[in-house]
């Protein structure tokens, strides 16, 4: 049975612990639970990280729309659980009835959105947190996801899949890992748990207009994979390697970012139809040009 609390707007901060066994508003209780998957603590894992309830704070109080099954927190709203939290101008918690209880299945954050843990931060204008699927999707301007060693930005959207530890950047995506930069239409960063449970980059997959820049070369391909463990990036499909005015074309490039050495190959089927091609432009000797030779100077 759901008890109907009296919700009065207040000034100052209203602290509302959304406990896994119940939502406390003042002295009344609303039987709400957040669906939680059995998984290890995960950066940005609001649905998984830590124990206990989902706490919500806001400056301008909580609005309960019982018929719509929505709770709305406005004004510097914060939802937190364990070491993970979501900050926004407004938070909406959508819930549903199940087995006599009500459980939260989605959180919608709007305005100056920031998701954070002890190690990771993601920002955007709007976020939809699907607790059933353990995935959050951020949209808006200046989308960014940061770990202690990597930064992932995008134009269209940023996704983070908690269970798989996967971040997806869509639209003019850029991944920076230490001093290495990988770009593409879509970049998928795959992490694994480190010794302290924090995300450690394992690899980045790129789709569409993938490019990577070294100290001496610019490499472009249709698709690419960066192995963070070895420091090697592999690009395939309409590959071009440019160094100054020189350009090599082929089907596949392997770029060792540790040594700066790039290797270009054809498709390797041996039929002779596909070959590596290059345009090499000789460097001009400004001190001994043909014009100088003709004048005898």
């Amino acid at each position: 049975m759901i008890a109907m609390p009296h919700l009065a707007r207040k000034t100052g901060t209203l602290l509302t612990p959304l406990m896994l066994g119940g939502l406390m508003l003042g002295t009344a209780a609303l039987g709400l639970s957040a669906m939680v998957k059995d998984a290890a603590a995960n950066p940005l894992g609001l649905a998984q990280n830590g124990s206990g309830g989902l706490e919500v704070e806001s400056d301008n109080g909580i609005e309960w729309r019982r018929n719509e099954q929505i709770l709305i927190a406005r004004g510097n709203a914060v939802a937190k659980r364990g070491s993970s939290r979501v900050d926004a101008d407004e938070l909406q918690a959508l819930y549903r009835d199940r087995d006599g209880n009500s459980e939260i299945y989605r959180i919608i954050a709007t305005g100056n959105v920031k998701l954070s843990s002890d190690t990771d931060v993601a920002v955007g204008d709007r976020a939809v947190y699907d607790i059933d699927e353990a995935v959050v999707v951020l949209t808006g301007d200046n989308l960014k996801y940061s770990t202690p060693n990597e930064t992932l930005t995008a134009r269209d959207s940023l996704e983070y899949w908690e269970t798989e530890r996967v971040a997806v950047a869509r639209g003019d995506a850029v991944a920076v890992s230490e001093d290495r930069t990988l770009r593409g239409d879509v970049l998928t960063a795959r992490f694994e748990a480190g010794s302290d449970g924090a995300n450690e980059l394992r690899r980045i997959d790129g789709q569409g207009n993938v490019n990577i820049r070294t100290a001496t070369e610019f490499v472009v391909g249709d698709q690419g994979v960066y192995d963070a463990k070895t420091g090697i990036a592999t690009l395939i499909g309409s590959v071009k390697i440019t160094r100054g005015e020189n350009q090599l074309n082929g089907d596949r490039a392997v770029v060792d970012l540790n040594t700066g050495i790039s290797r270009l190959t054809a498709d390797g089927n041996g039929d002779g139809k596909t070959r590596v091609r290059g345009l090499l432009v000789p460097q001009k000797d400004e001190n001994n040009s043909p014009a100088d030779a003709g004048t005898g100077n």
Side-chain angles (χ1 to χ4, degrees), residues 82-163:
S83 62
S84 297
R85 59 185 285 162
V86 180
D87 293 75
D89 296 339
E90 178 182 291
L91 291 175
Q92 297 184 22
L94 284 65
Y95 65 94
R96 64 190 168 208
D97 295 325
R98 177 175 290 184
D99 299 328
N101 293 315
S102 298
E103 56 189 19
I104 299 170
Y105 66 91
R106 183 171 299 155
I107 296 173
I108 301 174
T110 307
N112 298 302
V113 177
K114 177 182 177 182
L115 295 91
S116 59
S117 68
D118 291 339
T119 58
D120 296 5
V121 176
V123 296
D125 294 329
R126 188 174 188 269
V128 178
Y129 208 125
D130 189 324
I131 295 178
D132 287 350
E133 299 296 330
V135 58
V136 59
V137 179
L138 291 101
T139 54
D141 296 330
N142 302 315
L143 299 171
K144 179 189 285 189
Y145 172 49
S146 302
T147 74
N149 297 312
E150 293 84 31
T151 300
L152 195 63
T153 60
R155 180 195 62 212
D156 298 335
S157 67
L158 267 176
E159 305 167 15
Y160 183 72
W161 298 77
E162 295 177 15
T163 307

Side-chain angles (χ1 to χ4, degrees), residues 167-232:
V168 183
R170 302 183 187 275
D172 290 338
V174 180
V176 179
S177 179
E178 298 176 345
D179 60 345
R180 300 165 181 179
T181 301
L182 181 69
R183 298 174 182 269
D185 294 341
V186 178
L187 296 180
T188 302
R190 305 178 187 277
F191 299 90
E192 60 189 15
S195 58
D196 57 354
N199 276 338
E200 290 186 359
L201 182 63
R202 180 165 54 89
R203 61 182 277 177
I204 298 175
D205 297 275
Q207 294 288 333
N209 300 303
V210 176
N211 67 72
I212 189 165
R213 187 181 296 275
T214 71
T216 59
E217 297 170 331
F218 183 65
V219 187
V220 179
D222 295 335
Q223 303 175 49
V225 176
Y226 168 62
D227 188 325
K229 302 302 182 182
T230 63
I232 293 176

Side-chain angles (χ1 to χ4, degrees), residues 201-275:
L201 182 63
R202 180 165 54 89
R203 61 182 277 177
I204 298 175
D205 297 275
Q207 294 288 333
N209 300 303
V210 176
N211 67 72
I212 189 165
R213 187 181 296 275
T214 71
T216 59
E217 297 170 331
F218 183 65
V219 187
V220 179
D222 295 335
Q223 303 175 49
V225 176
Y226 168 62
D227 188 325
K229 302 302 182 182
T230 63
I232 293 176
T234 303
L235 283 74
I236 61 174
S238 303
V239 175
K240 296 182 177 65
I241 298 180
T242 303
R243 176 181 292 182
E245 298 183 27
N246 301 323
Q247 181 173 295
L248 296 176
N249 298 338
D251 300 308
R252 183 174 184 268
V254 178
V255 184
D256 190 330
L257 297 179
N258 295 320
T259 64
I261 297 175
S262 300
R263 183 164 53 90
L264 187 67
T265 62
D267 59 14
N269 60 17
D271 59 10
K273 295 180 180 179
T274 305
R275 298 167 65 86

Side-chain angles (χ1 to χ4, degrees), residues 280-291:
L280 303 179
V281 179
Q283 293 183 348
K284 296 180 181 179
D285 187 347
E286 299 295 338
N287 296 322
N288 189 22
S289 66

